[in-house]
Amino acid sequence: MQPRTSLPSWKKLVTHAQDMKEQHMSELFTQNSQRFEQFSIKLAPFLLDYSKNLISNDTMSMLFDLAKECDVEQWREKMFSGQRINSTEDRAVLHTALRSRSSKPVMLDGKNVKEDVQRSLNHMKDFSEKVRQGHWKGYSGKRITDVVNIGVGGSNLGPQMVTEALKQYSDNSVNVHYVSNVDGTQIANVLRPLNPEKVLFIISSKTFTTTETMTNAKTAMKWLVSSSFDQSAIAKHFIAVSSNKKNATEFGIAPENIFELWDWVGGRFSLWSAIGLPIAIDLGFERFIELLEGADEIDQHFCETPLEQNAPVILALLSLWNCTFLGAQSQAILPYDQPLHMLSAYLQQAEMESNGKSVNWQGESIDYSTVPSIWGELGINGQHAFYQYLHQSNNIVPADFIGSVESVTPVQGHHQTLMANFFAQTQALMQGVDEQQVRAGLKAKGRTPEYIDKVAPHKVHKGNRPTNTILMKRISPRSIGSLIALYEHKIFTQGILLQICSFDQWGVELGKGLANNIEVELSENKISDNHDSSTKGLMTFFQESILKQS
């Protein structure tokens, strides 16, 4: 297979990037009054403005040529049709089938997987309604008032991010909590105020072997049994979302309370499956379906829209342009709506776990940058923390600004102030302010020449910092579904452009395997000589400190 760097469009972009580095975005806006119209897309869920990137018509033309040379459209078809594009694990990638609202079958190994999806949705609907309406009782006959979801990574981040984002849509008939950290502090803090008679635990683990999740699950089980004095109470208070029914059943969970997962659903793309059961319980099943509908709307846009107007494709191409060709090493995700406070962490996992790789599909080392490190925070908080770095550091950090036209919690005067900052920041990052402007401004304020000479260089902002703006009409289940799907397809397209396997995560497996071995050594107080001197020294210090305390 031809290396990406040998493609004609890639070579043109390398040369073009050197020319564009000499340009300034403010000049590009001055030269073209139609720039916003040319470089923005209006969809039903949101407006995407990408005009504040260091791009020209030629840039985008070359990027679209690259997408075509990389066969993005053909790979898109392979994913949606159930071909095994997860090559290292020989699996299909069909999270889109989980939210498809059409009757068109999706075939895998001669079977229509949408039949399994519908069966799972029916199970979710029936169960979530029983819990919400108080028909599901605990061991003492009391209704469930609290649900604790125990998972980690994709089994936790997705549902938690969505329920936080859509908190205003919850009727609070059931309180939903999340435990992911194996640090006992988290589960202790969550369980402390709860009544064991009224708690339902959801154990979300594809394999039902994940160390962190199973450690927390066992602690929760002991907590329940110590209250009920009855091992059989587990069946009333524990359900599982897993593909390993055997392990879940041996844990004590009734077979009818095990929700199905499939190997064609990756963890970080799984909130659309029964992993999203906490969402359905918190918001109601109808809201969960609206979430799926929003994602399906973007699926259709991604499949049916030419590359030149395709929002996920454009975001992927811009990421490639900013990172691989212009040299940016990180990207900020900056939501300005308080409900989206977990979005940066969610997208951090989705993109970095998917495309943070250094070999191509053939397992050969690649010699170009892949994806940037993803980080971020709520915009207003960031403005008083790290925006200094965004504006004046020598490192250029592209950023996605995400906001809404309407607030889900209108408080007079607040949203207008919020959005004034939202619009101002992308303008400031693009335009900057040069020394001549700084000096003129200080002079107009009556500052002395000596003061101006001293301070002016410190107030210069070079600008030319790329941003994308995503402006939703309002946060809702449907718009959140669309937003997540937008980034999912961006990530998929990135992987194709970079020739990277986006749907495995071997980098996660290595550390987990070593941790399992080390845990045995710590528990048996037998530290192996096979460790490097640093690791052995740290483990020895840890063990000796514990012995001294005891």
Side-chain angles (χ1 to χ4, degrees), residues 484-503:
I484 298 169
L486 171 73
Y487 278 98
E488 285 183 347
H489 292 316
K490 171 204 169 184
I491 290 164
F492 162 78
T493 305
Q494 276 178 319
I496 302 305
L497 295 169
L498 294 164
Q499 213 174 46
I500 277 175
C501 297
S502 299
F503 299 101

PDB file of all heavy atoms in Angstrom, residues 484-503:
ATOM      1  N   ILE A 484     -21.623  14.497  19.421  1.00  0.00           N
ATOM      2  CA  ILE A 484     -20.732  13.356  19.659  1.00  0.00           C
ATOM      3  C   ILE A 484     -20.446  12.624  18.352  1.00  0.00           C
ATOM      4  O   ILE A 484     -19.303  12.261  18.059  1.00  0.00           O
ATOM      5  CB  ILE A 484     -21.344  12.399  20.695  1.00  0.00           C
ATOM      6  CG1 ILE A 484     -21.523  13.110  22.041  1.00  0.00           C
ATOM      7  CG2 ILE A 484     -20.464  11.160  20.868  1.00  0.00           C
ATOM      8  CD1 ILE A 484     -22.358  12.318  23.030  1.00  0.00           C
ATOM      9  N   ALA A 485     -21.484  12.408  17.549  1.00  0.00           N
ATOM     10  CA  ALA A 485     -21.303  11.705  16.275  1.00  0.00           C
ATOM     11  C   ALA A 485     -20.399  12.495  15.332  1.00  0.00           C
ATOM     12  O   ALA A 485     -19.612  11.911  14.579  1.00  0.00           O
ATOM     13  CB  ALA A 485     -22.650  11.447  15.621  1.00  0.00           C
ATOM     14  N   LEU A 486     -20.501  13.814  15.376  1.00  0.00           N
ATOM     15  CA  LEU A 486     -19.617  14.663  14.567  1.00  0.00           C
ATOM     16  C   LEU A 486     -18.158  14.342  14.865  1.00  0.00           C
ATOM     17  O   LEU A 486     -17.352  14.134  13.946  1.00  0.00           O
ATOM     18  CB  LEU A 486     -19.903  16.135  14.880  1.00  0.00           C
ATOM     19  CG  LEU A 486     -18.928  17.160  14.288  1.00  0.00           C
ATOM     20  CD1 LEU A 486     -19.148  17.303  12.788  1.00  0.00           C
ATOM     21  CD2 LEU A 486     -19.090  18.517  14.990  1.00  0.00           C
ATOM     22  N   TYR A 487     -17.816  14.290  16.147  1.00  0.00           N
ATOM     23  CA  TYR A 487     -16.430  14.012  16.523  1.00  0.00           C
ATOM     24  C   TYR A 487     -16.050  12.552  16.273  1.00  0.00           C
ATOM     25  O   TYR A 487     -14.904  12.251  15.919  1.00  0.00           O
ATOM     26  CB  TYR A 487     -16.189  14.403  17.978  1.00  0.00           C
ATOM     27  CG  TYR A 487     -15.922  15.870  18.149  1.00  0.00           C
ATOM     28  CD1 TYR A 487     -16.923  16.753  18.540  1.00  0.00           C
ATOM     29  CD2 TYR A 487     -14.663  16.402  17.886  1.00  0.00           C
ATOM     30  CE1 TYR A 487     -16.672  18.112  18.686  1.00  0.00           C
ATOM     31  CE2 TYR A 487     -14.400  17.760  18.022  1.00  0.00           C
ATOM     32  CZ  TYR A 487     -15.412  18.609  18.424  1.00  0.00           C
ATOM     33  OH  TYR A 487     -15.158  19.958  18.552  1.00  0.00           O
ATOM     34  N   GLU A 488     -16.983  11.637  16.450  1.00  0.00           N
ATOM     35  CA  GLU A 488     -16.682  10.228  16.151  1.00  0.00           C
ATOM     36  C   GLU A 488     -16.262  10.053  14.690  1.00  0.00           C
ATOM     37  O   GLU A 488     -15.277   9.366  14.390  1.00  0.00           O
ATOM     38  CB  GLU A 488     -17.897   9.347  16.445  1.00  0.00           C
ATOM     39  CG  GLU A 488     -18.152   9.102  17.912  1.00  0.00           C
ATOM     40  CD  GLU A 488     -19.308   8.168  18.153  1.00  0.00           C
ATOM     41  OE1 GLU A 488     -20.089   7.896  17.194  1.00  0.00           O
ATOM     42  OE2 GLU A 488     -19.457   7.698  19.289  1.00  0.00           O
ATOM     43  N   HIS A 489     -17.001  10.680  13.795  1.00  0.00           N
ATOM     44  CA  HIS A 489     -16.673  10.532  12.371  1.00  0.00           C
ATOM     45  C   HIS A 489     -15.425  11.330  11.995  1.00  0.00           C
ATOM     46  O   HIS A 489     -14.704  10.960  11.063  1.00  0.00           O
ATOM     47  CB  HIS A 489     -17.868  10.939  11.517  1.00  0.00           C
ATOM     48  CG  HIS A 489     -19.030   9.996  11.639  1.00  0.00           C
ATOM     49  ND1 HIS A 489     -18.872   8.629  11.618  1.00  0.00           N
ATOM     50  CD2 HIS A 489     -20.368  10.219  11.794  1.00  0.00           C
ATOM     51  CE1 HIS A 489     -20.063   8.049  11.753  1.00  0.00           C
ATOM     52  NE2 HIS A 489     -20.974   8.993  11.868  1.00  0.00           N
ATOM     53  N   LYS A 490     -15.178  12.414  12.705  1.00  0.00           N
ATOM     54  CA  LYS A 490     -13.901  13.110  12.525  1.00  0.00           C
ATOM     55  C   LYS A 490     -12.749  12.171  12.850  1.00  0.00           C
ATOM     56  O   LYS A 490     -11.764  12.078  12.103  1.00  0.00           O
ATOM     57  CB  LYS A 490     -13.843  14.339  13.435  1.00  0.00           C
ATOM     58  CG  LYS A 490     -12.463  15.006  13.472  1.00  0.00           C
ATOM     59  CD  LYS A 490     -12.236  15.796  14.736  1.00  0.00           C
ATOM     60  CE  LYS A 490     -10.781  16.226  14.860  1.00  0.00           C
ATOM     61  NZ  LYS A 490     -10.493  16.923  16.121  1.00  0.00           N
ATOM     62  N   ILE A 491     -12.870  11.457  13.959  1.00  0.00           N
ATOM     63  CA  ILE A 491     -11.822  10.549  14.411  1.00  0.00           C
ATOM     64  C   ILE A 491     -11.626   9.414  13.407  1.00  0.00           C
ATOM     65  O   ILE A 491     -10.489   9.042  13.079  1.00  0.00           O
ATOM     66  CB  ILE A 491     -12.168  10.007  15.807  1.00  0.00           C
ATOM     67  CG1 ILE A 491     -12.049  11.136  16.842  1.00  0.00           C
ATOM     68  CG2 ILE A 491     -11.297   8.815  16.188  1.00  0.00           C
ATOM     69  CD1 ILE A 491     -12.718  10.828  18.173  1.00  0.00           C
ATOM     70  N   PHE A 492     -12.710   8.851  12.920  1.00  0.00           N
ATOM     71  CA  PHE A 492     -12.620   7.800  11.903  1.00  0.00           C
ATOM     72  C   PHE A 492     -11.883   8.308  10.665  1.00  0.00           C
ATOM     73  O   PHE A 492     -10.964   7.656  10.153  1.00  0.00           O
ATOM     74  CB  PHE A 492     -14.025   7.321  11.520  1.00  0.00           C
ATOM     75  CG  PHE A 492     -14.072   6.575  10.214  1.00  0.00           C
ATOM     76  CD1 PHE A 492     -13.661   5.256  10.139  1.00  0.00           C
ATOM     77  CD2 PHE A 492     -14.504   7.207   9.049  1.00  0.00           C
ATOM     78  CE1 PHE A 492     -13.693   4.577   8.928  1.00  0.00           C
ATOM     79  CE2 PHE A 492     -14.539   6.542   7.836  1.00  0.00           C
ATOM     80  CZ  PHE A 492     -14.129   5.217   7.780  1.00  0.00           C
ATOM     81  N   THR A 493     -12.274   9.489  10.199  1.00  0.00           N
ATOM     82  CA  THR A 493     -11.653  10.049   8.992  1.00  0.00           C
ATOM     83  C   THR A 493     -10.176  10.336   9.221  1.00  0.00           C
ATOM     84  O   THR A 493      -9.338  10.089   8.344  1.00  0.00           O
ATOM     85  CB  THR A 493     -12.388  11.333   8.561  1.00  0.00           C
ATOM     86  OG1 THR A 493     -13.788  11.053   8.399  1.00  0.00           O
ATOM     87  CG2 THR A 493     -11.838  11.868   7.247  1.00  0.00           C
ATOM     88  N   GLN A 494      -9.836  10.850  10.399  1.00  0.00           N
ATOM     89  CA  GLN A 494      -8.428  11.062  10.743  1.00  0.00           C
ATOM     90  C   GLN A 494      -7.630   9.776  10.570  1.00  0.00           C
ATOM     91  O   GLN A 494      -6.536   9.765  10.007  1.00  0.00           O
ATOM     92  CB  GLN A 494      -8.294  11.508  12.207  1.00  0.00           C
ATOM     93  CG  GLN A 494      -8.483  12.976  12.479  1.00  0.00           C
ATOM     94  CD  GLN A 494      -8.358  13.244  13.973  1.00  0.00           C
ATOM     95  OE1 GLN A 494      -8.860  12.484  14.802  1.00  0.00           O
ATOM     96  NE2 GLN A 494      -7.679  14.310  14.317  1.00  0.00           N
ATOM     97  N   GLY A 495      -8.175   8.693  11.100  1.00  0.00           N
ATOM     98  CA  GLY A 495      -7.476   7.416  11.036  1.00  0.00           C
ATOM     99  C   GLY A 495      -7.209   6.976   9.613  1.00  0.00           C
ATOM    100  O   GLY A 495      -6.142   6.438   9.300  1.00  0.00           O
ATOM    101  N   ILE A 496      -8.189   7.190   8.744  1.00  0.00           N
ATOM    102  CA  ILE A 496      -8.001   6.825   7.335  1.00  0.00           C
ATOM    103  C   ILE A 496      -6.941   7.716   6.699  1.00  0.00           C
ATOM    104  O   ILE A 496      -6.050   7.240   5.985  1.00  0.00           O
ATOM    105  CB  ILE A 496      -9.332   6.934   6.564  1.00  0.00           C
ATOM    106  CG1 ILE A 496     -10.407   6.036   7.204  1.00  0.00           C
ATOM    107  CG2 ILE A 496      -9.127   6.580   5.102  1.00  0.00           C
ATOM    108  CD1 ILE A 496     -10.024   4.586   7.340  1.00  0.00           C
ATOM    109  N   LEU A 497      -7.022   9.006   6.934  1.00  0.00           N
ATOM    110  CA  LEU A 497      -6.039   9.934   6.360  1.00  0.00           C
ATOM    111  C   LEU A 497      -4.625   9.601   6.830  1.00  0.00           C
ATOM    112  O   LEU A 497      -3.660   9.700   6.056  1.00  0.00           O
ATOM    113  CB  LEU A 497      -6.387  11.369   6.763  1.00  0.00           C
ATOM    114  CG  LEU A 497      -7.695  11.941   6.223  1.00  0.00           C
ATOM    115  CD1 LEU A 497      -8.015  13.262   6.924  1.00  0.00           C
ATOM    116  CD2 LEU A 497      -7.638  12.153   4.706  1.00  0.00           C
ATOM    117  N   LEU A 498      -4.500   9.201   8.085  1.00  0.00           N
ATOM    118  CA  LEU A 498      -3.190   8.936   8.671  1.00  0.00           C
ATOM    119  C   LEU A 498      -2.729   7.498   8.474  1.00  0.00           C
ATOM    120  O   LEU A 498      -1.602   7.150   8.818  1.00  0.00           O
ATOM    121  CB  LEU A 498      -3.224   9.246  10.171  1.00  0.00           C
ATOM    122  CG  LEU A 498      -3.436  10.718  10.538  1.00  0.00           C
ATOM    123  CD1 LEU A 498      -3.845  10.856  12.003  1.00  0.00           C
ATOM    124  CD2 LEU A 498      -2.182  11.525  10.263  1.00  0.00           C
ATOM    125  N   GLN A 499      -3.620   6.661   7.941  1.00  0.00           N
ATOM    126  CA  GLN A 499      -3.335   5.239   7.725  1.00  0.00           C
ATOM    127  C   GLN A 499      -3.050   4.539   9.059  1.00  0.00           C
ATOM    128  O   GLN A 499      -2.099   3.780   9.223  1.00  0.00           O
ATOM    129  CB  GLN A 499      -2.147   5.073   6.768  1.00  0.00           C
ATOM    130  CG  GLN A 499      -2.239   3.841   5.880  1.00  0.00           C
ATOM    131  CD  GLN A 499      -1.137   3.792   4.847  1.00  0.00           C
ATOM    132  OE1 GLN A 499       0.031   4.019   5.141  1.00  0.00           O
ATOM    133  NE2 GLN A 499      -1.501   3.489   3.606  1.00  0.00           N
ATOM    134  N   ILE A 500      -3.927   4.817  10.019  1.00  0.00           N
ATOM    135  CA  ILE A 500      -3.767   4.316  11.385  1.00  0.00           C
ATOM    136  C   ILE A 500      -4.964   3.437  11.751  1.00  0.00           C
ATOM    137  O   ILE A 500      -6.099   3.702  11.344  1.00  0.00           O
ATOM    138  CB  ILE A 500      -3.651   5.505  12.361  1.00  0.00           C
ATOM    139  CG1 ILE A 500      -2.213   6.019  12.384  1.00  0.00           C
ATOM    140  CG2 ILE A 500      -4.103   5.159  13.758  1.00  0.00           C
ATOM    141  CD1 ILE A 500      -2.027   7.252  13.217  1.00  0.00           C
ATOM    142  N   CYS A 501      -4.725   2.405  12.551  1.00  0.00           N
ATOM    143  CA  CYS A 501      -5.810   1.563  13.067  1.00  0.00           C
ATOM    144  C   CYS A 501      -6.465   2.283  14.254  1.00  0.00           C
ATOM    145  O   CYS A 501      -5.899   2.311  15.350  1.00  0.00           O
ATOM    146  CB  CYS A 501      -5.259   0.207  13.506  1.00  0.00           C
ATOM    147  SG  CYS A 501      -4.537  -0.769  12.183  1.00  0.00           S
ATOM    148  N   SER A 502      -7.632   2.847  14.027  1.00  0.00           N
ATOM    149  CA  SER A 502      -8.268   3.711  15.034  1.00  0.00           C
ATOM    150  C   SER A 502      -9.026   2.944  16.108  1.00  0.00           C
ATOM    151  O   SER A 502      -9.409   3.531  17.120  1.00  0.00           O
ATOM    152  CB  SER A 502      -9.246   4.678  14.348  1.00  0.00           C
ATOM    153  OG  SER A 502      -8.586   5.512  13.441  1.00  0.00           O
ATOM    154  N   PHE A 503      -9.263   1.654  15.905  1.00  0.00           N
ATOM    155  CA  PHE A 503     -10.232   0.980  16.769  1.00  0.00           C
ATOM    156  C   PHE A 503      -9.623  -0.073  17.687  1.00  0.00           C
ATOM    157  O   PHE A 503     -10.327  -0.880  18.273  1.00  0.00           O
ATOM    158  CB  PHE A 503     -11.349   0.384  15.905  1.00  0.00           C
ATOM    159  CG  PHE A 503     -12.085   1.449  15.133  1.00  0.00           C
ATOM    160  CD1 PHE A 503     -11.819   1.667  13.793  1.00  0.00           C
ATOM    161  CD2 PHE A 503     -12.998   2.272  15.769  1.00  0.00           C
ATOM    162  CE1 PHE A 503     -12.462   2.679  13.085  1.00  0.00           C
ATOM    163  CE2 PHE A 503     -13.649   3.280  15.078  1.00  0.00           C
ATOM    164  CZ  PHE A 503     -13.389   3.490  13.732  1.00  0.00           C
TER     165      PHE A 503
END
